[in-house]
Amino acid sequence: MVLLGSLVNSAAIILGGSIGLALKKGLSDRIASAVMNALALCVLYIGVSGMLKGENILITILSMVFGTLVGEWIDLDKKINQLGDEIESRVSSENKEHSVSNGFVTASLLFCVGAMAIVGALQSGLTGNHDTLFAKSLIDGIAAIVMASSLGIGVLLSAGLILVYEGGITLFANVLAPLLTDSVINEMTCVGSLLIVGLALNMLKLTDLKIMNYAPAVFFPILFGFFM
């Protein structure tokens, strides 16, 4: 089954997120806030670590500029927040400190950015080997427990995007493989990690960046990799 790895990854996020939601009910506001700040510091570490994989600063700069132009033009942040607000209005929750859209954006970027998602999906499509995505599923499932306990149900919704993202790469692996070279994957990871640093700053309430409007930048290294 070619999509087995992607399906397992999505299921792990849903399972871990569900456990996190159950744990969230037993946390006081003080403890929940402390866990949130601790998670933000971990997210910052993940972002800084991923940034170091970049090899061409020019590709990073151009990708961020052009990606932001596209994101602002489409206004992805507004659309995601509208979707989150609509879902939130249908879901009863005692704690409104963190919106559905906030949890969705944070979890989606964390789970999508990185070599394991891309390489694992390519392996699933080209060879039928799902080991990398299985390993990623374990990591993501554990992360989802912590994230959902702080950010709420939006973390579970990210499982749908993971399935589309990894599943798409898997299904079109034969076409994408020549484009997603090691250097391109490293640059995509670098750009995505910059967004993760921005997420961490938002989580620490130091900034109020519209991260989703920067998200298209992650895919621009595929284009610029041909010329640089």
Side-chain angles (χ1 to χ4, degrees):
M1 186 176 178
V2 70
L3 292 178
L4 180 61
S6 301
L7 289 169
V8 170
N9 199 172
S10 296
I13 292 171
I14 293 173
L15 177 61
S18 298
I19 295 173
L21 286 179
L23 294 176
K24 182 178 182 179
K25 296 178 180 178
L27 297 179
S28 66
D29 290 342
R30 180 179 64 84
I31 295 177
S33 178
V35 171
M36 180 66 181
N37 289 334
L39 177 60
L41 292 176
C42 293
V43 171
L44 181 62
Y45 170 76
I46 292 170
V48 172
S49 299
M51 286 165 52
L52 301 178
K53 294 184 180 296
E55 301 169 352
N56 191 325
I57 186 63
L58 189 56
I59 290 180
T60 301
I61 293 172
L62 290 174
S63 295
M64 287 296 296
V65 170
F66 283 93
T68 301
L69 288 174
V70 172
E72 286 290 341
W73 176 57
I74 301 174
D75 203 353
L76 287 173
D77 186 82
K78 181 179 179 180
K79 290 179 171 58
I80 290 295
N81 276 283
Q82 287 176 339
L83 176 61
D85 291 342
E86 183 177 344
I87 294 173
E88 196 164 22
S89 67
R90 298 169 183 265
V91 178
S92 60
S93 175
E94 297 179 0
N95 186 358
K96 297 292 185 181
E97 182 182 355
H98 303 295
S99 67
V100 171
S101 55
N102 182 36
F104 173 75
V105 171
T106 303
S108 295
L109 284 175
L110 280 176
F111 295 148
C112 285
V113 169
M116 288 187 80
I118 301 172
V119 173
L122 286 174
Q123 287 178 345
S124 292
L126 294 173
T127 68
N129 185 336
H130 308 295
D131 289 350
T132 300
L133 287 185
F134 287 162
K136 181 177 180 292
S137 299
L138 179 60
I139 297 170
D140 289 355
I142 295 172
I145 295 175
V146 179
M147 294 179 70
S149 68
S150 298
L151 298 174
I153 196 172
V155 175
L156 279 75
L157 300 179
S158 69
L161 182 60
I162 297 301
L163 181 59
V164 172
Y165 179 72
E166 292 179 349
I169 295 175
T170 297
L171 292 175
F172 295 99
N174 287 321
V175 176
L176 295 174
L179 304 177
L180 299 176
T181 62
D182 289 343
S183 61
V184 168
I185 292 174
N186 287 339
E187 297 303 330
M188 291 176 70
T189 300
C190 176
V191 173
S193 296
L194 276 175
L195 306 188
I196 289 176
V197 170
L199 276 176
L201 296 178
N202 281 356
M203 292 167 71
L204 290 169
K205 295 181 172 58
L206 298 176
T207 58
D208 187 22
L209 301 173
K210 295 181 178 181
I211 297 297
M212 211 59 190
N213 281 355
Y214 306 148
V218 174
F219 301 100
F220 272 86
I222 300 174
L223 173 63
F224 293 126
F226 281 107
F227 307 103
M228 301 177 186

